[in-house]
Amino acid sequence: MTCPHVADLPASVSPDTIEGCADCLAAGEHNWAHLRMCLSCGHVACCDSSPRRHATAHFHGSGHPVMRSFEPGEEWRWCFEDGRVV
């Protein structure tokens, strides 16, 4: 099951970092639960179970609607606009 936002995604994106949440790292923090990657620009950010919730903040700041898990072995995607797995 997909959403209309998936069709607007680039064919591929590369993560802006593989070290962890880019926003936490920039602030000198290393306290995140799980990582997500924006499928519009490759920004890697922490999930809503993390103290700073940078993935959601990235959506609100950029308007990029779809992210995927950046955890090993996970392939699922989430659309913030539709509020569902896509």
Side-chain angles (χ1 to χ4, degrees):
M1 184 183 271
T2 63
C3 70
H5 304 102
V6 171
D8 295 331
L9 296 174
S12 67
V13 294
S14 296
D16 60 359
T17 181
I18 58 168
E19 303 300 318
C21 174
D23 301 303
C24 287
L25 292 170
E29 299 177 8
H30 295 84
N31 186 23
W32 54 80
H34 299 282
L35 298 173
R36 312 293 181 234
M37 184 178 78
C38 175
L39 292 178
S40 293
C41 70
H43 184 67
V44 175
C46 55
C47 71
D48 283 357
S49 295
S50 302
R52 302 286 184 237
R53 301 170 53 161
H54 285 124
T56 296
H58 177 73
F59 161 67
H60 289 295
S62 68
H64 297 162
V66 184
M67 63 87 190
R68 73 164 178 85
S69 174
F70 198 60
E71 296 297 314
E74 294 185 359
E75 300 286 328
W76 59 268
R77 301 176 297 186
W78 177 260
C79 179
F80 286 99
E81 289 284 334
D82 294 328
R84 65 184 172 109
V85 173
V86 293

